[in-house]
Amino acid sequence: MRHIISLLMENEAGALSRVAGLFSARAYNIESLTVAPTEDATMSRMTIVTIGSEDVIEQITKQLNKLVDVIKVMDLTEGSHIERELMLVKVKAVGPGREEMKRTSDIFRGRIIDVTDATYTIELTGTGSKLDAFLEAIDPAFIIETVRTGASGIGRGERSLKV
Amino acid sequence: MEATGAEIVVRCLAEEGVEFVFGYPGGAVLNIYDEIFKQNKFKHVLVRHEQAAVHAADAYARSTGRVGVALVTSGPGVTNAVTGIATAYMDSIPIVVITGQVPTPAIGLDAFQEVDTVGITRPCVKHNFLVKDVKDLATTMKKAFIIAATGRPGPVVVDVPKDVTAHLTEFVYPATVEMRSYNPVVKGHSGQLKRAVQMLLEAERPMIYAGGGVVLGDASAQLVELARLLGFPVTNTLMGLGGYPATDRQNLGMLGMHGTYEANMAMQHCDVLLAIGARFDDRVIGNPAHFAREQRRIIHVDVDPSSISKRVRVDVPIVGDVQNVLTEMLSLLKLAKEKPDTAALNSWWTQIELWRSKNCLNYNRNSPIIKPQYVVEKLWEVTKGDAYITSDVGQHQMWAAQYYKFDKPRRWINSGGLGTMGVGLPYAMGVQLAHPDAQVACITGESSIQMCIQELSTCKQYRIPIKIVTLNNRYMGMVRQWQEFFYGSRYAESYMDSLPDFVKLAEAYGHVGMRIDKPEDVEAALKEAFSPALKERLVFMDFQTDQAENVFPMVGAGKGLSEMILAEEL
C-alpha cells in the first residue's frame, strides 16, 4: 500500500543522505521525497511517499525514528490528511491547439506562468493523481518537459507534526 | 583558557575517564598525537593496522561495559577501520572512533588521504559527525559518548579535519547534552508488562530466549532471578552466552544453527516464549516460516523498537532497557497471586530432559587425532571456567561457544553479527589490557589468526600475555564443512596451504610457541601455557586437529530449527 510519511529532522549537513541511505540499504521503495527547512530553520520537514506491506511500513517508521537526527515521524496515511504536489509542464502551444491547451489548463485550475508564441508553461497543484490526470488529458505529443516536486503532506484539523 | 582542537579532543577523552586509546598516527591526526604525547591521563596503544585498533577498542567495551576508543588518520586509516566499525555495529558495541580528516578548505578536492568518512561509515555506525568548527568539538565529543553508550549501543565516528585540531576556542566540557531528537526508551510500558507476566504465569511449555542484550544491558542477575523464580528453561544466543550461567541445570545451552538439540526443540515447541535482548536472526531461528508453524505466544523485550516484529511477529512487545524491564517484571511476579503451573512445568521438563539425553554435543573421545572439542573442554578445565575467551570466526568459534561453559557475562568476546575473521587476536589484546590480571585466551583457527597476525608485534610492545589456542586443521573449517555437506565435497580454495611454522613465527615476535600433535599432550600444554612461569608471556599454541571434524548439531541454511543434522546421524 502507498503511505505518506512525514518527518521532522535536525537541519544538519548529511541528514538527507541518512534517510536516503536507510531506504537503499534496507531495500525500501521511495516513490518521492521532498525536503525543506521549516519555519524554525534548525529543523527540516520531509515528506516521503513509499509503497510497502504493513510490516515493511512498520519497519520503515521504526528505522526512521532510530536515526539520531530524526525528531518525529508520522504516517499521514494513518489518519485524514491533505496531499499536494506541484508540477510545471512546458507544452507546445501553436495553431488551434493553443486555445485548447488553455482550456484544459483552466479545467484543471492550472496557471500559465510563462508564454512564448509557441509554448505555454503551466503550473498545476493537486494530488499526484490529479497531475497524472492532466498529463493524460493532453496530447503527449505536445509535452516538451515536465517537472514535479513529489508530494508534500499535512494532517487535517488538529492533527499536526510538531516538536 | 583557550585550547586547540587537538587539546580539546585529548581533554574530552580524559574527562570521559578513558583508560586506553587504540590507534595509529598519520598526517591528519598529528596535532592530536602531539597532545597525546604531552598528557598522562590515558594510555595510547599503538596497533599495527587500524582494523585492530577498532577491534581492540570494541573488545575493551565488550569486556568492561565502558565505551572503547580508537583513533585513526584520514583516508586509508578510515577505510582500514571500517571493518572494525561494522563489526561493532552489528553487535551493538559502544565505541567512539575519532578519525582525522583533511583540512576543511581541502574537503571535496580529492586531497591526499581524503575519503568521505561520514559517507563511507554512515551505514555501519549508530551515528557520525564531521566537526567543521572547533567551537562544536567538545559538545560533539560529549554527544558521541552519550549516543554510543545509551539506548541500543553502537559505534559513533567523530571526523575531525586537521585545521580544526589547530584552531583555538574556549574549552568547556559539558556534563551532559540534551538532544531533542535522541531519547531512548528506558522503562517498559506498564500495561504490556502486566500482560507479559500474566502470559508467563499461564504458560505450560515456557521458554526464555536470552540474547546479547542481556549482556550489554547488564541484566544477567535479573535474568537469573526471573528464571529461577519461574523455574523456566533458558537458552542463550551466541551473543548472549554467559548471560545465564552455562553450568546451571535450567540452561539448555546455545540455540540456533549450531545450537543444542534440546534448546532448538524447546524453542520450536514452547507455548510461551520470552525473548529478551535478542532479535530472532537467521542464524538463530532458521527459516521463519517453519518457526511459525508451531503456535506460540511471544513476549519480546528489547531496547530497540525496530528489532521487534522484524522477522517474527510478536504478541507482547516491550520496548525498554532490559535490566529495567526485568526488574519490573520480577516485582510484578512476586506480587502475583497465581503461581506457575507446576504439573505442566514438570511434564515440560520431562520432555526437555528426554531431548537433553540425546547428548548432542558428544564426540569421539578416543580419537588418536586431536579433536578440537577436546581442546576447548580442556581449556575450560585448566582455566577453571573463569577465563575471558575471544574467538575468531568459523568452526572453532562454534566449538568455543559449545564447549566452553560461560558462567559469567562479558567473558565471551566474539564477532556474532558480522562474523569478522581476524578479530580474535586484537579482541584478546583489548580484553587483557582492560583486565591485566585475568586469564585471557584467544580460540582461533590457522586461517583466522593470519588475518590480524601482525598484532603479535603490538602484544610484544605492551607485554600482553594472552594465550592463543589455534585449532589448526589446515582448512577454512566452516567453508570446508559447507562444501562437504552442500557442494559435493568439492573443496574449492578452502585448504590452507603453505602455512607458516607458527612456533617459529611466535618466537620471531618474541613470544613462546608450542606445537601439539597428540591428544595426550593437550592438557599438559595448556597447563604449561597458563602456569605461573609463563604468566607474563604470550603463548601461541598450535594444536594440530582433526581435519574432518564438523560442527554438530547443524541446522542447514533455510531449514527449520527442529530440522537438525546430528553427529550420530552421519
Side-chain angles (χ1 to χ4, degrees), chain B residues 413-429:
Chain B
I413 314 291
N414 84 128
S415 166
L418 196 66
T420 309
M421 286 172 70
V423 294
L425 174 53
Y427 270 180
M429 295 177 352

Side-chain angles (χ1 to χ4, degrees), chain B residues 22-291:
Chain B
F22 300 89
Y24 204 105
V29 285
L30 280 174
N31 289 331
I32 299 175
Y33 271 89
D34 198 42
E35 291 304 323
I36 288 177
F37 187 84
K38 296 176 197 162
Q39 61 83 46
N40 59 6
K41 299 276 198 223
F42 57 82
K43 188 164 179 180
H44 180 273
V45 178
L46 175 67
V47 294
R48 299 301 184 261
H49 187 289
E50 288 90 346
Q51 180 188 344
V54 183
H55 289 327
D58 164 342
Y60 174 88
R62 288 179 201 244
S63 69
T64 63
R66 305 178 60 199
V67 177
V69 179
L71 169 61
V72 300
T73 194
S74 64
V78 170
T79 54
N80 282 345
V82 166
T83 299
I85 296 168
T87 304
Y89 179 69
M90 286 295 275
D91 291 342
S92 309
I93 306 303
I95 56 171
V96 169
V97 181
I98 299 159
T99 59
Q101 181 55 278
V102 301
T104 42
I107 290 178
L109 302 180
D110 302 318
F112 176 66
Q113 293 196 327
E114 179 184 1
V115 290
D116 173 10
T117 300
V118 165
I120 282 183
T121 58
R122 196 194 62 234
C124 60
V125 293
K126 183 168 173 188
H127 198 57
N128 57 19
F129 297 95
L130 168 63
V131 184
K132 286 184 182 156
D133 186 338
V134 72
K135 290 192 188 71
D136 300 330
L137 187 52
T139 317
T140 305
M141 290 289 288
K142 186 74 214 179
K143 282 183 184 172
F145 276 87
I146 293 172
I147 292 169
T150 53
R152 179 174 180 175
V156 178
V157 167
V158 183
D159 198 26
V160 191
K162 189 168 185 183
D163 56 332
V164 172
T165 64
H167 293 161
L168 285 163
T169 192
E170 204 65 39
F171 174 65
V172 184
Y173 196 59
T176 188
V177 180
E178 289 293 321
M179 285 170 272
R180 63 180 168 184
S181 63
Y182 179 74
N183 295 293
V185 178
V186 176
K187 282 173 73 81
H189 186 278
S190 60
Q192 295 292 68
L193 270 160
K194 281 188 196 126
R195 281 182 65 202
V197 165
Q198 193 56 40
M199 210 174 262
L200 290 172
L201 290 170
E202 287 163 10
E204 294 181 355
R205 301 186 309 282
M207 181 71 174
I208 300 175
Y209 150 50
V214 171
V215 176
L216 293 170
D218 291 320
S220 282
Q222 289 74 13
L223 171 63
V224 170
E225 193 184 345
L226 183 85
R228 295 215 171 121
L229 186 71
L230 291 165
F232 289 1
V234 183
T235 180
N236 283 129
T237 66
L238 179 69
M239 295 311 297
L241 295 178
Y244 190 89
T247 52
D248 188 277
R249 194 192 71 90
Q250 278 171 250
N251 193 326
L252 309 190
M254 183 171 76
L255 82 165
M257 182 172 270
H258 294 296
T260 66
Y261 185 73
E262 52 271 30
N264 285 347
M265 292 303 277
M267 266 304 269
Q268 186 73 9
H269 297 287
C270 63
D271 71 338
V272 171
L273 178 64
L274 172 59
I276 311 166
R279 57 191 181 91
F280 294 92
D281 88 87
D282 53 310
R283 289 297 193 264
V284 164
I285 57 150
N287 183 342
H290 183 277
F291 186 66

Side-chain angles (χ1 to χ4, degrees), chain A residues 10 12-14 17-18 21 26 40 42-43 55 58-59 62-63 65-71 163, chain B residues 89 118 122-123 126-129 132 143 147 152 179-182 304-310 313:
Chain A
E10 296 292 349
E12 303 267 356
S17 68
R18 291 184 204 278
R26 295 192 183 265
D40 171 354
T42 66
M43 279 190 291
D55 287 351
E58 182 183 329
Q59 269 297 309
K62 284 174 169 178
Q63 294 289 348
N65 263 311
K66 204 163 121 177
L67 292 175
V68 170
D69 280 339
V70 170
I71 302 164
V163 179
Chain B
Y89 179 69
V118 165
R122 196 194 62 234
K126 183 168 173 188
H127 198 57
N128 57 19
F129 297 95
K132 286 184 182 156
K143 282 183 184 172
I147 292 169
R152 179 174 180 175
M179 285 170 272
R180 63 180 168 184
S181 63
Y182 179 74
D304 176 6
S306 75
S307 281
I308 297 176
S309 291
K310 184 166 69 175
R313 275 265 143 213

Side-chain angles (χ1 to χ4, degrees), chain A residues 4-73:
Chain A
I4 306 171
I5 294 168
S6 252
L7 61 92
L8 285 173
M9 62 194 306
E10 296 292 349
N11 187 8
E12 303 267 356
L16 172 62
S17 68
R18 291 184 204 278
V19 173
L22 169 68
F23 274 73
S24 64
R26 295 192 183 265
Y28 304 144
N29 296 306
I30 299 187
E31 194 149 284
S32 71
L33 185 159
T34 67
V35 60
T38 64
E39 76 284 2
D40 171 354
T42 66
M43 279 190 291
S44 290
R45 174 146 174 172
M46 191 180 282
T47 308
I48 303 163
V49 178
T50 181
I51 291 172
S53 65
E54 289 310 306
D55 287 351
V56 169
I57 300 296
E58 182 183 329
Q59 269 297 309
I60 290 175
T61 49
K62 284 174 169 178
Q63 294 289 348
L64 285 169
N65 263 311
K66 204 163 121 177
L67 292 175
V68 170
D69 280 339
V70 170
I71 302 164
K72 253 186 182 168
V73 179

Side-chain angles (χ1 to χ4, degrees), chain B residues 327-349:
Chain B
T327 306
E328 287 295 313
M329 219 178 245
L330 275 166
S331 54
L332 286 175
L333 276 170
K334 285 173 190 163
L335 290 172
K337 290 187 191 73
E338 305 96 313
K339 293 285 164 246
D341 181 344
T342 325
L345 261 181
N346 284 343
S347 80
W348 177 229
W349 270 109

Side-chain angles (χ1 to χ4, degrees), chain B residues 497-537:
Chain B
D497 209 339
S498 304
L499 284 172
D501 178 334
F502 285 116
V503 174
K504 281 190 184 152
L505 185 73
E507 286 167 1
Y509 279 108
H511 302 304
V512 178
M514 295 179 186
R515 180 183 156 120
I516 303 95
D517 292 283
K518 295 196 219 84
E520 54 270 31
D521 298 333
V522 169
E523 191 169 355
L526 287 167
K527 278 186 172 159
E528 190 189 344
F530 284 97
S531 70
L534 293 178
K535 193 172 186 317
E536 308 293 322
R537 304 294 300 276

Side-chain angles (χ1 to χ4, degrees), chain A:
Chain A
M1 217 186 105
R2 180 172 177 271
H3 283 250
I4 306 171
I5 294 168
S6 252
L7 61 92
L8 285 173
M9 62 194 306
E10 296 292 349
N11 187 8
E12 303 267 356
L16 172 62
S17 68
R18 291 184 204 278
V19 173
L22 169 68
F23 274 73
S24 64
R26 295 192 183 265
Y28 304 144
N29 296 306
I30 299 187
E31 194 149 284
S32 71
L33 185 159
T34 67
V35 60
T38 64
E39 76 284 2
D40 171 354
T42 66
M43 279 190 291
S44 290
R45 174 146 174 172
M46 191 180 282
T47 308
I48 303 163
V49 178
T50 181
I51 291 172
S53 65
E54 289 310 306
D55 287 351
V56 169
I57 300 296
E58 182 183 329
Q59 269 297 309
I60 290 175
T61 49
K62 284 174 169 178
Q63 294 289 348
L64 285 169
N65 263 311
K66 204 163 121 177
L67 292 175
V68 170
D69 280 339
V70 170
I71 302 164
K72 253 186 182 168
V73 179
M74 184 174 176
D75 183 351
L76 287 177
T77 354
E78 277 179 352
S80 73
H81 63 280
I82 302 161
E83 172 192 349
R84 287 290 180 273
E85 182 175 359
L86 172 76
M87 175 168 71
L88 303 177
V89 197
K90 190 176 288 176
V91 291
K92 287 180 197 156
V94 283
R98 192 171 171 94
E99 188 51 32
E100 174 63 22
M101 189 60 76
K102 170 83 171 69
R103 269 200 301 273
T104 315
S105 167
D106 288 345
I107 292 167
F108 281 85
R109 295 173 198 270
R111 294 200 303 143
I112 296 171
I113 54 172
D114 187 45
V115 180
T116 68
D117 51 7
T119 65
Y120 282 151
T121 299
I122 303 166
E123 172 197 315
L124 276 156
T125 50
T127 60
S129 56
K130 175 187 159 180
L131 305 185
D132 293 342
F134 176 76
L135 293 175
E136 279 162 28
I138 61 173
D139 184 343
F142 286 99
I143 299 173
I144 300 168
E145 61 175 319
T146 64
V147 53
R148 298 170 68 149
T149 58
S152 285
I154 199 162
R156 277 193 187 272
E158 300 293 306
R159 198 165 173 240
S160 64
L161 178 67
K162 60 184 298 178
V163 179

